[in-house]
């Protein structure tokens, strides 16, 4: 913690800590309006700039959000714990369960905006899937909501020429249709002899683009997590590339591994 | 991409895409000053608000940073690829190499601000290490720099009572001293019969606190990644808890796992 000249933390930090403690203890609940600048100035005998700094500590930490023209509100949402390896284990999709069922086990979730289309692979997607740029890919995009809050969008890509090799197989048709069936696309790939055996996830963080702000209903100052996942079948054959964009305040990502 | 009423992307997005392409193609290099609002207004015949929006798309994406009173500059820094499992494999620290050597393999890195002290465990640290709140812990903190740019701070905690069980062992003394020796603290824990066999990493993202802005020299609008790592020895015994804070624009985290 930064200290002022006499060695104690600056006043705005002290005020922020006091308010943080009130939020953590439950005295301010989710959705409550926090004291505004004027109230803080009066209560603590500080200047407006100090009051504003104290509030911005809380919004920067994601504990509160500013609603334009209204005030600063407590925002608590129990983050979704997303367990990298466990959720993608073969036992899961092999048994016809949706991957999502491990993440949101006890919580109301739904998917909307599902769109399935054929498109030309851009450079990055082509490289990951081992295709020429512009090659045909199947693109499945959708949005996930937990307790009615949008938490992530996901866009998956599959090689159309790979699908064409299995054109007559019902599993290939399922991957191209809106309902990919029990266990989802990984179960279908498995029926085609293309079961994913290895996953690579790459995580990046950045501020959202304007369209992401809107799609994920992000509060000002909320970063997004980007997870780029490649699913590889036997022989290191890439069978899916998935670009996931998450509300950074809604997730804890967990990975477990051996030494 | 959002579209305006006639179905084409809004002008500010088009301008931003044009500038993004110039950055990606190398026509604007790292550190170059981008055209300012006035230049964009003139070149594209747009209002100041539109020019400003176009520039803010690039700063929001982390491709450019605003330097107060001077302008907007391209900021390119090849992110450090941090490979969750590979970097913590026993072969590595078992052979006396620093974990960092896999991350920054080909790049100049250094550590500064190393501080080792005894302190009382706060609630969260105590819970992870299986201690009572307020129990004595050894705290090792430091900052990592790549090519002279600060990229992360890390604060590790070890149970003092666990160290006391091995008080006479040179490895226990090394963990308490500034130079933890070849292979670092994991190699020393191993010599004490407490070799980590399992790691759990939890990833969160948020905007930085003021002191983190300063310590990591973060540009405005840069989020931080928080990695909380627990190292477990045989019998699920927690032997280290490490709180890592990373410049979100400087890292790609990679995790590989089997289905």
């Amino acid at each position: 913690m930064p200290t002022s000249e006499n060695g104690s933390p600056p006043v705005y930090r002290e005020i922020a800590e006091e308010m943080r403690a009130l939020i953590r203890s439950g005295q301010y609940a989710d959705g409550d309006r926090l004291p505004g600048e004027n109230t803080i100035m009066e209560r603590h005998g500080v200047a407006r700039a100090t009051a504003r700094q104290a509030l911005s500590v809380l919004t920067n930490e994601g504990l509160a959000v500013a609603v334009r023209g209204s005030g600063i509100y407590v925002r608590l949402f129990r983050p979704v714990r997303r367990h990298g390896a466990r959720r993608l284990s073969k036992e899961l999709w092999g048994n016809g369960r949706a991957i999502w069922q491990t993440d949101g086990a006890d919580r109301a979730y739904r998917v909307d905006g599902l769109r399935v289309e054929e498109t030309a692979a851009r450079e990055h997607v082509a490289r990951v899937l081992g295709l020429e740029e512009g090659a045909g890919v199947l693109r499945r995009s959708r949005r996930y909501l937990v307790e009615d809050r949008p938490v992530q969008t996901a866009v998956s890509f599959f090689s159309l020429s790979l699908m064409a090799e299995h054109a007559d197989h019902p599993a290939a048709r399922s991957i191209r249709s809106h309902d990919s069936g029990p266990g989802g696309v990984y179960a279908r790939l498995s029926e085609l002899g293309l079961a994913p055996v290895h996953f690579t996830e790459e995580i990046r963080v950045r501020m959202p683009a304007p369209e992401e702000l809107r799609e994920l209903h992000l509060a000002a100052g909320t970063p997004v997590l980007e997870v780029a996942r490649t699913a590889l079948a036997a022989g290191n054959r890439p069978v899916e590339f998935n670009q996931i964009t998450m509300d950074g305040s809604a997730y804890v990502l967990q990975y477990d591994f051996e030494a």
Side-chain angles (χ1 to χ4, degrees), chain A:
Chain A
M1 188 178 299
T3 51
S4 57
E5 279 169 47
N6 60 13
S8 62
V11 175
Y12 79 93
R13 299 285 300 168
E14 286 182 356
I15 299 172
E17 290 215 352
E18 195 182 307
M19 294 175 76
R20 195 189 293 118
L22 291 172
I23 294 172
R24 296 237 161 102
S25 71
Q27 285 194 256
Y28 289 117
D30 193 24
D32 279 0
R33 190 163 176 276
L34 289 175
E37 289 175 12
N38 291 331
T39 312
I40 295 175
M41 287 163 68
E42 233 171 72
R43 263 192 217 161
H44 296 270
V46 295
R48 183 169 302 277
T50 305
R52 190 171 295 164
Q53 268 188 302
L55 288 168
S56 75
V57 168
L58 301 178
T59 53
N60 281 339
E61 290 175 355
L63 276 178
V65 287
V67 176
R68 202 173 293 245
S70 167
I72 310 254
Y73 292 81
V74 175
R75 175 153 114 165
L76 300 172
F77 171 85
R78 190 160 53 88
V80 177
R81 181 171 292 264
R82 179 184 181 276
H83 189 294
R86 198 181 303 152
R87 67 198 298 278
L88 291 174
S89 77
K90 204 178 292 182
E91 288 74 54
L92 191 60
W93 44 265
N95 287 317
R97 291 180 65 201
I99 286 165
W100 190 262
Q101 282 175 259
T102 48
D103 288 337
D106 51 342
R107 301 168 80 175
Y109 87 95
R110 61 189 171 91
V111 178
D112 74 4
L114 178 69
R115 221 172 125 180
V116 185
E117 59 190 330
E118 297 184 5
T119 182
R122 292 189 172 204
E123 193 261 335
H124 182 62
V125 171
R127 198 174 57 237
V128 172
L129 291 179
L131 304 172
E132 299 285 315
E133 191 174 341
V137 285
L138 183 77
R139 182 183 189 276
R140 294 182 65 96
S141 59
R142 63 276 190 198
R143 185 172 73 158
Y144 293 84
L145 299 93
V146 168
E147 292 156 10
D148 285 325
R149 171 177 162 160
V151 292
Q152 72 163 65
T153 59
V155 187
S156 294
F157 297 91
F158 306 85
S159 159
L160 275 177
S161 63
L162 191 63
M163 292 299 110
E165 289 174 26
H166 304 273
D168 295 330
H169 197 296
R173 284 198 297 276
S174 293
I175 292 174
R176 300 172 82 132
S177 72
H178 270 238
D179 181 0
S180 57
V185 292
Y186 292 156
R188 299 296 83 71
L189 285 168
S190 186
E191 289 159 12
L192 299 177
L194 297 168
V197 294
H198 184 91
F199 294 97
T200 294
E201 293 195 338
E202 281 180 0
I203 300 164
R204 289 175 179 79
V205 60
R206 57 175 173 77
M207 295 313 284
E211 58 269 30
E212 294 167 334
L213 267 177
R214 214 182 40 239
E215 267 202 299
L216 293 172
H217 300 189
L218 298 171
T222 307
V224 291
L225 279 162
E226 260 187 15
V227 177
R229 178 170 73 228
T230 309
L232 300 166
N236 277 328
R237 190 173 190 181
V239 287
E240 184 215 29
F241 179 56
N242 193 350
Q243 289 186 305
I244 304 161
T245 307
M246 299 169 169
D247 173 346
S249 67
Y251 275 93
V252 178
L253 311 186
Q254 183 180 337
Y255 294 92
D256 283 82
F257 45 94
E258 308 307 313

